[in-house]
Amino acid sequence: MEKQDVLVDSADSPSITPSQKADISQVSGADDVRLAELGYKSEFRREFSLVETVAFAFSIMAVIGGVSSTLSFPLVSGGHVGIVFGWLIPCLFIMCIAASMAELASSMPTSAGLYYFSAKLAPEKHSALASWITGWANVTGQVTLVCSIDYTVAQMITTAVAVGTDGSVNLGSGPTYGILIALLLSHGIICSAATKVLARMTLFYVGVTIAEIIALLVCSGDDRVSTKVAFTMFENGTGWNNDGWAFLLAFTAPMWALTGYDSAAHISEEVAGAARAAPIAILVSVAGVGSLGWILSIAASFATVSVPALLATDVALPMGQLLLDVVGKRGMLTLWCLTLIVQYLCGAAQGVDASRVVFAFARDNALPGSRWWKVVNPRTQTPVNAVWLVMVLAGICGLLGFSATAFSSLAGASVIGLYTSYATPIFLRITSGRRKLIPGPFSLGRWYMPVGSIAVAWVAFIVVLLCFPPGQKTTAQEMNYAVVIIMAVFLFAGGSWVLSARKWFVGPLPNIDEKMFRRDY
């Protein structure tokens, strides 16, 4: 008979009844037992419910903000066809990635997430290397995603200023970078707060998103193109001669918008019933954002009368011009303010996610200065040092804002980093880890092999695609700097592994205290 002794902090709160307190303690106790079995002690408050976990994952993939920020990609890469089908096609493959990830998160609910999955599923002699690769790829993607989200918020602000002043004030790269730094500072403060505050913010986000989608569809106006034009008119403005290749570049939009759903795994140590809540949050958020994003894309396609005219706008984001054309200045500014709020909350949620990844990787001493980044603030019970490291690194990445391809480079780097970290444990699951995974409440069963194979093949294709420049001929100002970011991290992480880390890094390090968790056989 197996015995388990667990020390669990009491859930003292004046807002819940004694019976509710007992239920919470029971769930949290089970979560802490499972976390201890994975090798870690509980260090966070489990303040995210199932609904709040779904809302958190949903918020990082902001539908309104994602479509509004990335509309320029499909407009250039196919026009109406790029808007509609450039969103739909990738979403089908992303669901395979999400399903495979959900299975892993259900089996191993820990903030270490993806690099922990890789370590446990890889052959023993390659476990540390698999963990190292996954962890660095994920940290790279997380930091550049924080930067790219806040950069789009800065662009939204400059767009609002341009429209509000009737085009008399168009802020350039310098002011945009200044706004980005201010946003990062504000998000650093928010992400250092207690998680209960963040949970409430994400619930508010979901309500605003749904309200704005309804308002945008209702206020689209009657000046729409025909169904044939909205779904079949193709226009290539990329600079690539091959129309098929040009259309593929439209995939950048949904691939960037549908990132960060691994957040449900990264905050699993702050979730009650994590083994069940994390996979549900991953699947529901991806399916929900994908579906709502496609509906919004179709609405945008119907409302776009002239693709060249929309691309020729002086405002930072074409969606701002589209709204101005459809609902007028007052209506545009109203909808745009809601969009801006949503995207701002998206940046806050992503800051939390990125800081948890940095904390977890530092907890296993994998980052330079790990002893600083793995500290949890005793008052807020959040990794405050890790939060500010993320914001500083994001600010450095933001210097790309002075190039003509700033957003596409940041988006490409975040997608390549994140999806490489997504695909690595999935690849190991269908190869060396086929008999290693202990299924959690959610399992793909015998479907893990075909679903996982599709997921890995799609990521390999996307990583190659996003390394290409926007046109066949490029300059230093217009090149795709995603390759520079990824290669810089690869050289640093690879060099560190060869010269040093391979001698001491062993992968996830248990930190469980035997006095808190003991198993007798």
Side-chain angles (χ1 to χ4, degrees):
M1 177 73 69
E2 179 181 273
K3 293 191 300 180
Q4 296 175 332
D5 296 329
V6 186
L7 181 62
V8 182
D9 293 334
S10 61
D12 294 326
S13 174
S15 62
I16 59 176
T17 65
S19 61
Q20 289 174 322
K21 185 184 296 185
D23 292 339
I24 292 173
S25 297
Q26 184 176 5
V27 172
S28 297
D31 286 327
D32 292 344
V33 167
R34 180 55 185 147
L35 184 61
E37 290 174 341
L38 296 175
Y40 297 114
K41 64 182 178 181
S42 179
E43 298 184 80
F44 298 111
R45 297 172 181 166
R46 292 191 179 272
E47 295 189 316
F48 282 82
S49 66
L50 171 59
V51 173
E52 290 167 340
T53 306
V54 172
F56 186 83
F58 199 90
S59 67
I60 290 179
M61 299 180 290
V63 181
I64 295 294
V67 175
S68 298
S69 303
T70 61
L71 185 61
S72 59
F73 292 126
L75 282 174
V76 172
S77 304
H80 293 276
V81 171
I83 294 172
V84 176
F85 297 103
W87 183 278
L88 174 63
I89 294 172
C91 287
L92 302 177
F93 292 97
I94 292 172
M95 278 304 301
C96 292
I97 301 171
S100 296
M101 186 188 298
E103 181 182 49
L104 299 178
S106 181
S107 172
M108 296 171 276
T110 168
S111 291
L114 299 163
Y115 82 87
Y116 184 95
F117 304 159
S118 292
K120 298 304 178 183
L121 296 174
E124 187 173 351
K125 64 178 181 179
H126 299 306
S127 175
L129 178 59
S131 179
W132 184 263
I133 293 172
T134 306
W136 275 101
N138 196 240
V139 168
T140 302
Q142 293 285 348
V143 171
T144 51
L145 186 57
V146 169
C147 181
S148 59
I149 291 173
D150 277 8
Y151 183 76
T152 62
V153 178
Q155 286 186 309
M156 288 179 179
I157 292 173
T158 62
T159 297
V161 171
V163 173
T165 60
D166 296 320
S168 62
V169 178
N170 285 296
L171 300 177
S173 300
T176 301
Y177 182 72
I179 295 172
L180 169 64
I181 295 301
L183 291 168
L184 290 172
L185 288 173
S186 67
H187 280 153
I189 295 171
I190 292 173
C191 295
S192 298
T195 54
K196 193 62 178 179
V197 176
L198 297 168
R200 291 168 181 169
M201 288 173 61
T202 53
L203 286 176
F204 165 75
Y205 156 81
V206 173
V208 172
T209 302
I210 295 173
E212 187 169 354
I213 289 176
I214 295 172
L216 184 59
L217 293 174
V218 171
C219 299
S220 295
D222 298 325
D223 188 16
R224 300 174 181 174
V225 299
S226 66
T227 302
K228 181 179 180 180
V229 170
F231 282 89
T232 65
M233 186 173 180
F234 184 88
E235 298 176 70
N236 180 2
T238 62
W240 289 94
N241 294 328
N242 188 291
D243 288 344
W245 181 259
F247 169 70
L248 294 179
L249 294 176
F251 292 173
T252 305
M255 292 305 302
W256 178 78
L258 275 78
T259 50
Y261 46 88
D262 57 316
S263 59
H266 297 312
I267 65 167
S268 59
E269 293 182 30
E270 301 168 70
V271 176
R276 174 175 170 269
I280 291 176
I282 292 171
L283 293 171
V284 171
S285 61
V286 172
V289 170
S291 300
L292 293 173
W294 193 45
I295 294 171
L296 186 57
S297 296
I298 292 174
S301 183
F302 272 107
T304 302
V305 177
S306 172
V307 171
L310 201 55
L311 289 171
T313 180
D314 291 329
V315 301
L317 297 173
M319 179 62 90
Q321 183 64 53
L322 179 61
L323 289 173
L324 181 62
D325 295 340
V326 172
V327 298
K329 179 178 177 180
R330 182 174 297 180
M332 178 271 174
L333 289 175
T334 300
L335 290 174
W336 203 245
C337 285
L338 290 174
T339 304
L340 202 156
I341 292 171
V342 166
Q343 193 72 340
Y344 181 81
L345 295 181
C346 171
Q350 176 54 33
V352 172
D353 187 23
S355 67
R356 298 319 188 254
V357 172
V358 169
F359 162 80
F361 209 33
R363 183 169 57 182
D364 294 321
N365 298 321
L367 295 175
S370 286
R371 67 191 183 95
W372 296 102
W373 318 131
K374 64 183 176 181
V375 174
V376 176
N377 185 281
R379 186 173 64 86
T380 64
Q381 289 192 274
T382 56
V384 174
N385 293 353
V387 168
W388 288 106
L389 175 63
V390 168
M391 299 306 160
V392 169
L393 293 176
I396 295 173
C397 291
L399 291 171
L400 281 175
F402 292 95
S403 72
T405 56
F407 179 55
S408 60
S409 297
L410 290 169
S414 60
V415 171
I416 291 172
L418 287 173
Y419 274 92
T420 298
S421 68
Y422 295 174
T424 302
I426 297 174
F427 173 75
L428 294 171
R429 165 73 173 111
I430 62 177
T431 53
S432 60
R434 282 175 291 181
R435 291 180 173 82
K436 291 185 176 182
L437 188 76
I438 301 175
F442 174 81
S443 174
L444 291 175
R446 61 194 178 98
W447 289 99
Y448 81 92
M449 181 62 76
V451 172
S453 299
I454 292 172
V456 172
W458 175 255
V459 171
F461 164 71
I462 284 297
V463 166
V464 173
L465 176 69
L466 294 183
C467 288
F468 280 80
Q472 287 177 283
K473 297 181 180 180
T474 189
T475 64
Q477 183 71 8
E478 297 178 349
M479 74 168 285
N480 183 357
Y481 283 93
V483 178
V484 177
I485 297 174
I486 296 300
M487 286 304 299
V489 176
F490 174 79
L491 291 174
F492 177 80
S496 298
W497 175 262
V498 172
L499 297 176
S500 175
R502 63 188 176 89
K503 302 174 184 178
W504 52 264
F505 182 73
V506 296
L509 291 172
N511 69 352
I512 192 67
D513 189 340
E514 289 295 332
K515 295 180 180 179
M516 297 183 67
F517 181 84
R518 181 177 68 252
R519 174 177 291 179
D520 298 323
Y521 293 95

